[in-house]
Amino acid sequence: MGDQVRKAFDNLRTVLEAAGLRAADVVRINYYTTNVDELIEVLGPLAGEFLGSNLPASTLLGVSRLALPQLKIEIEAVAAR
C-alpha cells in the first residue's frame, strides 16, 4: 500500500507541475481504496510529505475494487490558483 500511495502522489506531482501548479494549490483530494485500514496506517506521513502544510478538503472512500485488480489506491485531486 505504501508504495502505491507514494507512486500516486508522485504521479499527481507530475501532473500538477505540467500544469504549472504545486501541491499547495490542491484544494480537494479524494482517496479511493480497497483497504481503508491499511491506507489509514500509511497515509498520514505520505500525505504530509506531499502536501506539506496544505490541508485540502478530503474524503476517504472504501471500494470493492479499482480499475485493475492489483490496485489498492486511487487519488483524485482538484487544484486551483
Side-chain angles (χ1 to χ4, degrees):
M1 178 69 79
D3 290 342
Q4 288 191 23
V5 172
R6 186 177 307 282
K7 180 63 174 167
F9 279 127
D10 287 345
N11 290 345
L12 179 54
R13 180 178 289 114
T14 298
V15 170
L16 289 169
E17 288 174 356
L21 299 167
R22 347 176 251 133
D25 298 315
V26 173
V27 296
R28 173 131 189 92
I29 193 162
N30 295 326
Y31 303 95
Y32 302 93
T33 183
T34 57
N35 189 326
V36 171
D37 293 330
E38 190 178 9
L39 179 59
I40 289 172
E41 286 180 25
V42 300
L43 184 59
L46 294 174
E49 192 178 302
F50 175 75
L51 294 166
S53 62
N54 182 21
L55 297 173
S58 63
T59 300
L60 188 153
L61 294 169
V63 297
S64 59
R65 68 169 289 193
L66 294 165
L68 301 173
Q70 68 271 26
L71 295 179
K72 297 180 177 185
I73 177 77
E74 180 177 316
I75 297 176
E76 174 185 60
V78 176
R81 267 230 181 121

